[in-house]
Amino acid sequence: ALPPGCAQPHSVSLHLWLLRAPGGTGPAEDSGVLLADAAASRRAAAGREGGVDWDALGDFVRTAVAAYGGGAAELPDCARRMAVIELLDDEVDLTPGRHVSPAPGGEELDLEGAWSGFGEALAGLRAAGRALSALEPAGDGGGGQPKTTVGDLARAGALTLRGGQQPPDGTVRGGEPGEGGLPLLTVPDLLQGGGPTSWLHPSDVSGRGMLVAMPGDVVVAGVIRAFAAWVHQGPPTVLGAQLYALRVEPEKMDAWFLAGCLRAPSNGRQAGTHASSASRVDVRRLQVLQLPLAEQLRYSEVFRRLTEFEEFRGRLDELASRLARDISDGLATGRLSAGR
């Protein structure tokens, strides 16, 4: 069983079968069946966010197969040898997860660290929430604020707009970027809720006119299902099809203000085609409040706080799910005591 994200469909754990023809003409010796669950092995499945650590995954699989083929008594955690007769039950199910579980004590429960992180995320969420709760409704209901569009701002020289493209066949590489490699962000990556899962060699980027988002650029996803806008703060990143980079002129526009205005859900709806779930957003039609730079900066601080609020909320949700899972598993397996 491979971790989710190894191949399409990325949301499920796919199975890889290794079949070997028996030698000779007599009945095959039952050397058992190797069941290895890389989806349950944190060592094999723990990659960077949204991706798979292929080196660790390959190491886990090779170790399990080598131990099985060599007749070793000890197999790695999340791997098990079973006799064929044990699998031929009323219901034959060869899903590794049904028969394999991590060795007791193989994964230490770091509840103290998780609770510490939970407390820090909760404190951050409260601080950001306090700042946002001070906002008050506009006196005129907000309807009187003048607005402009991305297209008008581009024509006025306040920003430049470029669109990403599909990389040529054979240029995309999976896993962590190699030396000098540039991560590639695509719409499927965003739909999975993670970061880039592939990369390109610099020669395939510069020689083919690929769009590279630089720190400070505003990146917009131009598909309704994945519609979002944010200030890019990571390393230079190649943008795939339906992703756009907006680079502002600092003396005319603030990037955080622009991203905050663009990402409003209502903005995406009014600029979308609404033809299907894969409908595109016309980035040039997205609307932005028309404000002087000094006032933009005041909005910018609030938009930054809102971004922090969302990040802390996501972190809190992740830690809460992890704590619930680990505590439930620890109690059920006897690794945690319910007290007296």
Side-chain angles (χ1 to χ4, degrees):
L2 301 176
C6 287
Q8 294 182 344
H10 294 285
S11 59
V12 299
S13 171
L14 301 180
H15 293 164
L16 177 65
W17 287 45
L18 303 179
L19 306 179
R20 180 178 60 190
T25 58
E29 178 184 354
D30 181 10
S31 58
V33 176
L34 170 68
L35 297 172
D37 191 0
S41 171
R42 294 183 183 178
R43 178 171 65 89
R48 58 198 170 95
E49 184 180 0
V52 174
D53 188 335
W54 289 100
D55 290 337
L57 174 60
D59 180 64
F60 168 77
V61 173
R62 285 190 292 269
T63 300
V65 172
Y68 164 77
E74 292 291 332
L75 295 176
D77 292 347
C78 302
R80 179 184 180 189
R81 180 189 287 105
M82 294 187 67
V84 172
I85 192 64
E86 294 182 48
L87 296 167
L88 299 179
D89 205 341
D90 293 337
E91 179 182 351
V92 178
D93 187 344
L94 300 184
T95 304
R98 178 172 179 175
H99 307 281
V100 176
S101 60
E107 297 282 355
E108 292 296 330
L109 292 177
D110 183 19
L111 295 182
E112 182 178 354
W115 280 117
S116 175
F118 184 87
E120 292 173 1
L122 187 59
L125 187 68
R126 284 173 173 165
R130 281 195 298 270
L132 295 173
S133 66
L135 298 175
E136 298 178 354
D140 59 356
Q145 289 277 29
K147 295 180 181 179
T148 186
T149 64
V150 168
D152 289 338
L153 291 170
R155 284 189 289 272
L159 57 83
T160 56
L161 169 64
R162 289 186 61 196
Q165 62 190 65
Q166 184 68 28
D169 292 341
T171 61
V172 179
R173 298 165 169 83
E176 293 285 348
E179 184 177 356
L182 294 172
L184 169 66
L185 181 66
T186 65
V187 169
D189 290 334
L190 297 178
L191 291 173
Q192 295 172 51
T197 56
S198 54
W199 59 281
L200 297 174
H201 192 273
S203 61
D204 294 324
V205 175
S206 59
R208 302 176 187 267
M210 300 294 294
L211 172 61
V212 179
M214 304 299 292
D217 287 349
V218 176
V219 179
V220 180
V223 177
I224 288 180
R225 283 194 302 161
F227 176 68
W230 65 93
V231 178
H232 180 61
Q233 297 178 282
T237 300
V238 183
L239 301 184
Q242 300 307 313
L243 294 176
Y244 302 83
L246 287 69
R247 186 166 298 172
V248 303
E249 293 295 331
E251 67 276 6
K252 296 181 179 180
M253 175 148 289
D254 179 78
W256 283 90
F257 168 77
L258 176 64
C261 289
L262 296 182
R263 67 194 234 177
S266 58
N267 210 358
R269 288 194 296 269
Q270 67 85 27
T273 60
H274 306 289
S276 68
S277 61
S279 298
R280 299 177 180 178
V281 173
D282 185 347
V283 176
R284 291 184 173 273
R285 289 176 51 198
L286 292 172
Q287 296 184 345
V288 182
L289 289 175
Q290 198 167 359
L291 299 174
L293 184 59
E295 195 166 352
Q296 290 181 30
L297 295 177
R298 289 198 292 270
Y299 275 74
S300 175
E301 288 303 312
V302 179
F303 282 133
R304 287 174 185 263
R305 278 291 189 177
L306 182 59
T307 299
E308 291 177 1
F309 183 84
E310 293 176 330
E311 290 174 350
F312 282 124
R313 182 206 59 79
R315 178 64 175 156
L316 198 64
D317 181 65
E318 174 189 339
L319 286 168
S321 298
R322 173 186 162 188
L323 281 165
R325 181 177 62 250
D326 287 353
I327 291 173
S328 176
D329 187 63
L331 289 170
T333 58
R335 289 196 287 166
L336 285 180
S337 170
R340 294 183 181 275

